[in-house]
Amino acid sequence: FDTLPASHAYRRQNRGYEGLALSPDQQHLFVALQSPLQLPPDPNVGRDSRNTRILRLDLNGHVTGEYVYRFDPAASFDPATGARARDMKISGLYALSDRQVLVLERTDFVAKVYIVDVSAATDLRSWTSPSGALNYLESLNADGALESNGITPLAKTLVIDLDTVDGMPDKIESI
């Protein structure tokens, strides 16, 4: 689509659009970036960021919303393996409605499913970085940093920690 945000050209190599989900009314397509963007001037800011993005598009390919999805801190999400922020990924989406989506957040060893609702989150299409820096959003990693910069990320509610399910394989990549 030529309507995607220009910043999405800075997706990390082999970490592009990982999840797609069509809303039950078949009017909205949700698309997740697997990992944070690597924006200039310092791509490492993105590699170590906790902030990635979920888009909502209409079926003509026009973006109708862009929202921040905040990963859990890697050390608490996957403490046994020494996971780092750059190990966190979104690997699957499942739309429950035109505003609620199940999100599969994972490392290579731990996977959890959350529900998010876009209706209370900031639509990034109407937000401007106070610093004007392209990578500003990716640098807002401290708790409360997004909110103090006028961004309400997607609120997450844990649905299931797949690590607690007997016999579940380590690497889950879809819902």
Side-chain angles (χ1 to χ4, degrees):
F1 297 111
D2 59 357
T3 60
L4 294 175
S7 61
H8 288 221
Y10 295 99
R11 338 183 262 292
R12 200 166 134 193
Q13 182 80 11
N14 197 30
R15 295 275 186 100
Y17 298 112
E18 186 72 10
L20 296 171
L22 186 62
S23 63
D25 66 5
Q26 299 184 12
Q27 299 301 306
H28 302 277
L29 180 66
F30 291 92
V31 180
L33 280 168
Q34 184 177 23
S35 298
L37 297 172
Q38 290 184 276
L39 296 160
D42 183 359
N44 286 321
V45 171
R47 290 182 67 83
D48 296 325
S49 181
R50 291 177 53 203
N51 305 316
T52 193
R53 300 158 195 239
I54 293 179
L55 296 174
R56 184 175 63 184
L57 297 94
D58 65 21
L59 295 189
N60 293 316
H62 298 102
V63 176
T64 61
E66 181 179 15
Y67 310 97
V68 175
Y69 182 88
R70 174 160 250 195
F71 291 113
D72 285 351
S76 64
F77 186 88
D78 184 359
T81 66
R84 303 165 299 165
R86 59 185 61 188
D87 299 321
M88 302 297 292
K89 305 170 184 94
I90 292 177
S91 282
L93 298 177
Y94 182 86
L96 300 173
S97 70
D98 65 340
R99 60 184 182 80
Q100 291 187 316
V101 181
L102 293 176
V103 179
L104 175 63
E105 181 175 335
R106 71 171 184 87
T107 64
D108 284 344
F109 304 100
V110 174
K112 299 178 184 181
V113 177
Y114 294 91
I115 187 170
V116 298
D117 189 323
V118 302
S119 59
T122 300
D123 185 343
L124 293 176
R125 296 174 307 149
S126 63
W127 179 80
T128 304
S129 166
S131 74
L134 281 174
N135 67 5
Y136 191 75
L137 174 66
E138 282 63 32
S139 68
L140 299 175
N141 293 305
D143 288 337
L146 289 168
E147 294 82 355
S148 65
N149 282 275
I151 300 171
T152 302
L154 291 161
K156 299 168 24 177
T157 302
L158 181 65
V159 174
I160 187 167
D161 178 346
L162 295 173
D163 216 30
T164 65
V165 178
D166 288 338
M168 185 65 64
D170 286 338
K171 193 171 182 181
I172 306 296
E173 292 204 24
S174 68
I175 297 179

